[in-house]
Amino acid sequence: MRTLVVGAGATGGYFGGRLAEAGRDVTFLARPLRAARIRTEGLTVHSPHGHVRLTPKVVTSAELTDQYDVVLFSVKAYDLDRAIADLGPAVGPRTVIVPLLNGVRHVERLMARFGNRHVAGGVCLVTTTLDADGRILQLNERQEIRYGVWDPSDPPALEAVPAALGDAGFTVGRSPAIRQEMWEKWVYVAAVGAVTCLMRGVAGDVAAAPGGRRFAERVVAECAAAATACGHRPGPAALAALRATVTDPGSEAASSLYRDLCRGAPVETDHLLGDLVARAARHGVETPLLELAHLHLRVHQQRLASVDH
């Protein structure tokens, strides 16, 4: 069973690293600079579950020729189109792609390129980041991948997924309602991201400030209304957990949007906030706080682009 991990960043690098540690036939598809660094310095994971330094197989898009059984698709959303174009040679007649991005637009893009029967729904539950030296740091103990059929009318053959990913030191489970799970995580990530990025603090900082809890609850309400209008009302347990997270003055919760913003890196605002705002608007749902957060982060993106040029 051969697995290709598209992206060797914080998420793909973590799960792919655990697969390599478990002795699986895993290859990373990485950008040239990241590939060169892995080849010379290895891939390092620091985790509560154990530290490891590996020298895994890695290829660039120019070197990718083989087909794979399972593809773990884990890139930043602003690299989505390029990653899909690079992936082409790896997808054979029975390849299954398990995407680990937040949101849902990437599933639609992958299906448009490769067909529905090659693409599963997928969600990961892990908190990781890259440090300045390119090491992967796991910030808590949770490490889980959930996958399932996205389109039941033309489902992928998912038998290869547990064979490729199971028993590798993290939890893997098949979900009978993967779309709902993905939407609920999207609501969580969008709400926490909007709250922390607009207020420039972790969730507890916002909740502890006068008016902070009311603001956070309004953001949650907008995200939930958007999902509900799109046919994916968050379940009571998911909403209760989200509200508890953003209204607890002791909460250290943040999001990848906030962490990337703080270190002056590009952010996935179009994918995580802009797409949610657009889908809500198509159903007549107003989301002024989400729109404000999206605009705030687009200004950040424009500043980065002006520096690059």
Side-chain angles (χ1 to χ4, degrees):
M1 197 65 63
R2 305 184 69 215
T3 301
L4 180 71
V5 179
V6 183
T11 301
Y14 182 80
F15 286 112
R18 291 303 185 199
L19 289 171
E21 183 185 20
R24 304 302 170 78
D25 187 349
V26 59
T27 301
F28 288 93
L29 174 60
R31 301 272 295 275
L33 288 177
R34 181 64 170 161
R37 189 167 196 173
I38 291 173
R39 285 167 175 157
T40 57
E41 301 176 11
L43 183 78
T44 301
V45 176
H46 283 220
S47 164
H49 301 285
H51 307 329
V52 63
R53 183 180 180 277
L54 306 156
T55 53
K57 292 185 288 186
V58 59
V59 297
T60 65
S61 59
E63 300 163 335
L64 183 65
T65 57
D66 294 341
Q67 296 178 349
Y68 292 82
D69 299 292
V70 174
V71 173
L72 272 186
F73 192 82
S74 179
V75 299
K76 287 293 190 179
Y78 43 76
D79 286 331
L80 177 62
D81 292 338
R82 175 166 44 190
I84 289 174
D86 291 345
L87 181 59
V91 179
R94 296 187 59 81
T95 302
V96 177
I97 303 168
V98 180
L100 300 182
L101 288 75
N102 295 314
V104 300
R105 183 171 59 176
H106 58 284
V107 178
E108 299 162 352
R109 296 277 183 88
L110 285 163
M111 286 182 168
R113 171 62 179 84
F114 298 110
N116 293 13
R117 68 180 55 192
H118 284 291
V119 184
V123 65
C124 67
L125 303 169
V126 68
T127 304
T128 51
T129 190
L130 290 180
D131 70 8
D133 295 319
R135 296 175 298 186
I136 298 162
L137 310 180
Q138 186 181 14
L139 304 180
N140 58 28
E141 295 190 3
R142 195 167 189 183
Q143 46 178 11
E144 181 175 357
I145 291 176
R146 302 276 292 165
Y147 69 96
V149 172
W150 178 270
D151 180 6
S153 69
D154 193 15
L158 295 180
E159 293 77 14
V161 178
L165 306 183
D167 299 321
F170 54 87
T171 302
V172 180
R174 181 165 176 170
S175 168
I178 194 64
R179 283 200 194 199
Q180 182 67 16
E181 290 195 31
M182 291 176 67
W183 270 92
E184 289 183 350
K185 189 181 179 190
W186 190 9
V187 165
Y188 181 95
V189 169
V192 175
V195 167
T196 56
C197 289
L198 273 179
M199 296 297 115
R200 297 296 183 109
V202 300
D205 295 333
V206 181
R213 292 182 61 178
R214 181 172 179 272
F215 160 75
E217 288 171 345
R218 289 171 60 195
V219 172
V220 170
E222 286 189 10
C223 292
T228 299
C230 294
H232 296 280
R233 181 192 299 272
L239 271 183
L242 173 55
R243 289 193 179 104
T245 295
V246 298
T247 59
D248 176 7
S251 173
E252 293 294 327
S255 71
S256 60
L257 280 173
Y258 177 68
R259 288 190 291 270
D260 289 341
L261 176 66
C262 288
R263 62 189 181 93
V267 293
E268 298 176 290
T269 185
D270 289 339
H271 189 79
L272 296 178
L273 298 182
D275 190 34
L276 190 59
V277 166
R279 290 173 192 258
R282 289 199 288 270
H283 292 279
V285 175
E286 295 184 355
T287 53
L289 293 176
L290 290 179
E291 290 180 40
L292 183 62
H294 181 43
L295 175 60
H296 178 62
L297 293 176
R298 292 196 78 178
V299 172
H300 167 75
Q301 293 284 67
Q302 288 179 186
R303 286 175 177 164
L304 294 182
S306 67
V307 170
D308 290 341
H309 289 86

